[in-house]
Amino acid sequence: NNYIVCMLNYNNLVTSTIQRWNQLSGKSFMLDSVEQLTPDASGRLYYRARSSDKNVIVMYFVTKNVPEAVNEKEAKLSDESFVGVQEIFISNNVSVPEILFNDLSNSILIVEDVGNQQLINYANGDFKFYKLALSELVKIQNISNDNGHFIFKRRFDHSVFVREMSELTDFLLESNRPRIADLGYDFNEV
């Protein structure tokens, strides 16, 4: 299973993925180093592939479990849903990283690297980035749900809502506990 290899020797896996991307796309990305990134609340692994002039993010979809599925009949693989949501966002002028290489048959994407700054870093200063983020959220909220995409058929009942909020606590708030305290907030009230 290539996911086990990814966990044990991600440098070789990222190297072979970059070589495949170069071969299939005619690119000449010269890999200098690989950095494993902190995972998010999904079934994905992320690696920053660095070169002297550009960085990219290599994404591996580790699991085919589908929390986004409406039902078994309409289930989408997590990588298919990622690409589908990205396409909807682009068609509605929502800023998203560009997909540079799509190898869904192997559950791999290479996407534009938009950097590693987190919004929380700007909480004590100029709020222009918060305003930009909020304007993107407004665009997302205004996307018409009549296009038939399965993400618009998903409904949140109590159990789904509780699971999603637990992920917020586990993956965002808990990992930022010291930074939240530094901003003068009581973590337990956030």
Side-chain angles (χ1 to χ4, degrees):
N1 184 327
N2 68 349
Y3 302 117
I4 294 170
V5 172
C6 181
M7 300 294 261
L8 298 175
N9 194 348
Y10 66 84
N11 197 34
N12 288 344
L13 187 60
V14 172
T15 300
S16 66
T17 298
I18 295 295
Q19 289 170 346
R20 182 169 163 74
W21 176 40
N22 284 337
Q23 180 183 31
L24 294 176
S25 67
K27 302 283 183 192
S28 58
F29 186 91
M30 299 299 294
L31 183 63
D32 291 333
S33 65
V34 177
E35 172 189 2
Q36 186 172 18
L37 302 177
T38 305
D40 63 3
S42 71
R44 300 180 199 109
L45 297 174
Y46 299 92
Y47 302 92
R48 176 170 284 121
R50 298 180 187 275
S51 75
S52 60
D53 63 333
K54 180 180 184 174
N55 298 336
V56 296
I57 302 299
V58 181
M59 296 172 48
Y60 297 97
F61 294 84
V62 177
T63 178
K64 298 282 186 175
N65 294 339
V66 192
E68 316 71 359
V70 177
N71 57 49
E72 199 169 313
K73 183 179 178 185
E74 297 187 33
K76 298 287 182 186
L77 302 177
S78 63
D79 45 0
E80 291 172 347
S81 66
F82 181 92
V83 172
V85 170
Q86 196 248 19
E87 290 169 352
I88 290 170
F89 283 1
I90 287 172
S91 68
N92 286 276
N93 297 313
V94 176
S95 297
V96 293
E98 178 185 359
I99 294 176
L100 304 170
F101 180 62
N102 181 335
D103 186 6
L104 289 183
S105 63
N106 290 307
S107 299
I108 299 170
L109 292 175
I110 297 178
V111 299
E112 173 186 17
D113 185 352
V114 295
N116 59 1
Q117 290 297 318
Q118 296 179 3
L119 202 53
I120 197 167
N121 295 337
Y122 301 97
N124 280 337
D126 185 1
F127 288 98
K128 71 179 180 181
F129 294 109
Y130 278 87
K131 291 175 183 173
L132 289 170
L134 290 172
S135 70
E136 294 300 306
L137 289 173
V138 168
K139 289 180 195 176
I140 293 169
Q141 186 64 37
N142 289 324
I143 295 174
S144 172
N145 65 357
D146 63 357
N147 65 18
H149 194 279
F150 84 97
I151 64 167
F152 296 109
K153 297 176 184 175
R154 184 176 179 207
R155 298 293 176 247
F156 280 81
D157 60 14
H158 180 74
S159 64
V160 173
F161 181 75
V162 168
R163 185 186 76 231
E164 294 284 336
M165 292 308 295
S166 294
E167 289 177 357
L168 171 74
T169 302
D170 295 344
F171 290 96
L172 178 64
L173 297 180
E174 189 64 42
S175 65
N176 285 296
R177 181 185 286 262
R179 295 162 89 186
I180 292 169
D182 290 344
L183 294 172
Y185 296 106
D186 179 355
F187 178 81
N188 296 319
E189 291 178 11
V190 173

